Amino acid sequence: MSVHDSLIKIYNNQDAGYWVLIDPDKLPVEKIPGFMDQLIKGEIDAILIGGSLILNSEFEYFVGEVKKHSDRIPVILFPGSVHQVTPKADALLFLSVISGRQAHHLIGNQVLAAPLVYRCGIETIATAYMLIDSGRQTAAQFMSGSMPLPRNKPDLAVAHALAAQYLGFKLIYLEGGSGADLSVPEEIISAVRKTVDIPIIVGGGIISPEVAAAKVAAGATFIVTGNVLEKTDDADLIHKFSSAVHSRHS
Ligand code: 1GP
């Protein structure tokens, strides 16, 4: 089964999934086996690897090490640039920053990446990436050179999400930005959920299992956390997040 098929299965069952974003700059390679062990025990559903800007020159090696220790958890690239393409992962979110109007981030980078992706033979999942205002400028906003969508205008988010669906995107990513002060508002998630019928990823600034559960209740299909696990001393936090996300049906 392709990674996309497995995501659609979760969506069609009206379940939700918990994904963890790993920034290669923040996890030393020697700590990968221990961290992966925690993720497997915490019953997460997918691993994202990527970042707006990665200084770690061993990207491909890093992804290979994560994959080696990932057991059956899919490893999905979440590239911030064309330099983050490698066949070592299971799939790649083929992103377009549709909230912006920067041609380079809408189609230019994708044209540069396409031959690399073709040579890799990696599965691609076309993903409409929408930056939502989160209180202050995030790295994703700065690097994309684009304005985020206002957080108090759900209709604008809905129109973008509909356009994405009509253009054939497979996933929508509502992004507050890594380390965001404010996560994506539930009003935006539920308005988009009511209108489009493709899975919705929500990430950025989700700092507790309760907040994750609220996003799922609003209609998120997949919840992404990154920073919060880098800062915690709570060994059980991963499991608390996955239980909160998986509890949609309980
Ligand atoms: C960024 O949504 C992810 O794309 C994760 O954000 O690091 O704030 O959890 P955080």
Side-chain angles (χ1 to χ4, degrees), residues 8 68 115 121 131 153 204 229 241:
I8 289 296
K68 205 194 306 182
L131 293 166
K153 303 264 186 240
L229 301 183
F241 265 109

Side-chain angles (χ1 to χ4, degrees), residues 25-106:
D25 280 347
K26 294 190 184 154
L27 181 67
V29 172
E30 61 276 13
K31 293 199 172 165
I32 289 175
F35 189 58
M36 295 307 299
D37 195 43
Q38 286 181 42
L39 297 183
I40 293 164
K41 287 187 182 134
E43 299 184 63
I44 74 158
D45 300 285
I47 294 157
L48 290 185
I49 304 180
S52 302
L53 179 67
I54 289 181
L55 305 177
N56 186 332
S57 57
E58 303 290 334
F59 184 73
E60 185 156 292
Y61 176 69
F62 184 94
V63 175
E65 288 300 294
V66 169
K67 179 64 194 157
K68 205 194 306 182
H69 296 93
S70 63
D71 196 18
R72 289 184 195 161
I73 304 174
V75 176
I76 305 172
L77 299 178
F78 176 45
S81 78
V82 295
H83 305 295
Q84 297 171 35
V85 175
T86 161
K88 304 276 182 185
D90 297 302
L92 174 145
L93 297 186
F94 204 75
L95 301 162
S96 179
V97 187
I98 67 152
S99 52
R101 297 296 181 270
Q102 295 286 344
H104 206 54
H105 293 284
L106 282 162

Side-chain angles (χ1 to χ4, degrees), residues 147-203:
M147 301 266 289
L149 294 174
R151 38 191 305 112
N152 60 345
K153 303 264 186 240
D155 289 356
L156 261 184
V158 166
H160 281 74
L162 273 175
Q165 179 168 295
Y166 297 148
L167 282 165
F169 284 92
K170 306 290 188 218
L171 301 173
I172 286 169
Y173 196 136
L174 299 177
E175 172 71 280
S178 197
D181 286 344
L182 304 168
S183 56
V184 176
E186 278 89 74
E187 294 72 23
I188 287 188
I189 300 168
S190 62
V192 172
R193 175 71 296 144
K194 279 182 198 136
T195 319
V196 303
D197 51 21
I198 54 178
I200 301 169
I201 307 165
V202 178

